[in-house]
Amino acid sequence: MKTLVLVLGRLAWFVPTIIGLLAIVFFISHVIPADPAAFVAGENATPETIAAIREKLGLDKPLHIQFWHYLVSIAQGDMGRSIYTGRPVAEDLLSRLPATLELAIAAIIVASLIGIPLGVVSALRRNTWLDHGLRVVTIAGLAIASFWFAILLQLFFSMRLGVTPLHGRVEGWGPEPITGFYTIDAIIWQDPEILLDALRHMILPVTTLALPATATIVRFTRAGVLNALQSNYVLYETAMGYPRRLVVWKYVLRNALIGTVTQIGLIFGLLLAGAVVVEAVFDWPGLGLFAVNSILSSDYNAVMGFTLIAGAMFIVVNLLVDILQGMIDPRETR
């Protein structure tokens, strides 16, 4: 019952949050000195032609009227048409969404598989050389700029060593789409060649995205484990003579992961933001690259569509994290 109340409470804030997010992005994108009508008309267009296009696109109306018309269109399931591609924005976003999700999910899995054990080890070896070394690495992981790290990986592994592809998702054509995830589609079609190629193309962008995520998970797992080790129930279990490994992995880790699970939801939002840069560097055909091209062409509808879908995914993921957090520790459910 508490979980149902939690879900309903989060969903009640879904629409106001999305509207507020859209309003901020809408007004910011419309005050920058760029004219999408001029982009559509071309370099040699006359002022009359540009004015006619502005009227056709509804850009001649006041901002609050434009925003209201946009909300009405969204409520009807219409995100408008992209100036950059000439196709409906919804189709562009849906076609690129699997590429970004495949990258983000892989990065979260890698970061969790590496970050949680390292965080536990760092806490258990507190103030040793291993702990200090891991803390230095995590600070560096948070400080390094994603685009700079991505370029370094390309220069070393792709251009110097030639062991990984430079950009893209696969060489040539991908598998016939079923889910849009190249790795899953390759498995469904039983095509190991495309599967290995897709995994090779994912190595560098996933590494770039997973570095700051891993650093964050290590830090929060370490803090959670240290806090749990000082709790009364752990001291009791230790005094009862239970093996240290059993106490750590059965009792300490479950309570220590509460903060880590919460951070994973926030990390997902960071991965969406980081994907904009990473996809542009690796020419990864996902939402991030689409957003960059849309911003450069002042494609308002596409930018707003990206904002809408990114905000919706962030809210849904955080809802799932809240539910999972309640399952790990029912006391956290409100």
Side-chain angles (χ1 to χ4, degrees):
M1 186 63 182
K2 290 183 178 181
T3 302
L4 179 60
V5 173
L6 173 66
V7 172
L8 294 177
R10 294 293 189 273
L11 292 179
W13 283 100
F14 183 87
V15 174
T17 302
I18 289 296
I19 292 177
L21 179 63
L22 290 177
I24 294 173
V25 176
F26 183 87
F27 288 106
I28 290 178
S29 63
H30 279 68
V31 298
I32 59 176
D35 190 356
F39 178 84
V40 175
E43 297 181 358
N44 300 321
T46 63
E48 292 78 13
T49 302
I50 295 177
I53 294 177
R54 286 182 58 84
E55 182 178 359
K56 180 180 178 181
L57 296 177
L59 299 175
D60 58 330
K61 296 180 173 60
L63 287 182
H64 65 280
I65 299 297
Q66 294 184 43
F67 183 63
W68 171 252
H69 288 168
Y70 181 77
L71 290 181
V72 172
S73 298
I74 289 296
Q76 297 173 350
D78 181 15
M79 292 185 178
R81 188 170 292 272
S82 171
I83 296 175
Y84 175 70
T85 64
R87 300 195 308 168
V89 172
E91 292 183 9
D92 286 330
L93 293 174
L94 290 177
S95 65
R96 290 166 169 79
L97 177 61
T100 297
L101 288 180
E102 187 173 36
L103 209 58
I105 292 173
I108 287 179
I109 292 175
V110 170
S112 300
L113 292 178
I114 297 176
I116 292 176
L118 288 181
V120 174
V121 171
S122 181
L124 296 178
R125 303 292 181 87
R126 183 182 182 184
N127 293 329
T128 64
W129 65 267
L130 179 61
D131 181 32
H132 293 311
L134 287 174
R135 291 165 68 181
V136 171
V137 171
T138 56
I139 293 174
L142 293 172
I144 294 176
S146 295
F147 73 90
W148 181 77
F149 185 59
I151 293 174
L152 284 183
L153 291 179
Q154 284 182 323
L155 290 174
F156 185 73
F157 290 101
S158 298
M159 302 184 70
R160 180 180 290 268
L161 299 181
V163 295
T164 58
L166 184 61
H167 56 77
R169 295 184 73 184
V170 290
E171 294 292 340
W173 299 99
E176 185 175 347
I178 298 177
T179 65
F181 290 69
Y182 278 9
T183 51
I184 296 178
D185 290 345
I187 294 174
I188 293 175
W189 291 111
Q190 299 181 359
D191 194 330
E193 183 177 349
I194 292 182
L195 175 61
L196 292 176
D197 191 30
L199 291 175
R200 289 180 64 248
H201 279 78
M202 291 176 62
I203 292 175
L204 296 188
V206 167
T207 301
T208 305
L209 284 176
L211 177 64
T214 302
T216 301
I217 292 175
V218 170
R219 291 171 64 86
F220 275 86
T221 302
R222 178 184 182 275
V225 171
L226 288 176
N227 184 60
L229 287 173
Q230 299 173 1
S231 60
N232 293 330
Y233 66 89
V234 171
L235 296 178
Y236 173 78
E237 299 294 343
T238 303
M240 291 294 294
Y242 287 101
R244 182 174 175 82
R245 180 178 301 178
L246 176 64
V247 172
V248 170
W249 293 105
K250 184 176 181 180
Y251 298 102
V252 173
L253 190 58
R254 178 175 180 179
N255 290 275
L257 286 182
I258 296 173
T260 303
V261 169
T262 302
Q263 285 302 311
I264 289 177
L266 299 176
I267 288 171
F268 184 82
L270 296 177
L271 290 179
L272 290 178
V276 174
V277 176
V278 173
E279 290 183 6
V281 173
F282 290 101
D283 195 25
W284 189 270
L287 293 177
L289 183 60
F290 178 70
V292 170
N293 293 329
S294 301
I295 293 172
L296 294 177
S297 59
S298 300
D299 192 347
Y300 294 152
N301 287 335
V303 173
M304 296 296 293
F306 170 78
T307 302
L308 176 63
I309 195 170
M313 287 193 298
F314 186 77
I315 293 173
V316 170
V317 168
N318 276 273
L319 174 60
L320 296 177
V321 168
D322 287 339
I323 295 174
L324 181 59
Q325 188 176 5
M327 295 173 61
I328 295 176
D329 187 356
R331 295 172 302 176
E332 296 294 323
T333 304
R334 298 289 184 265

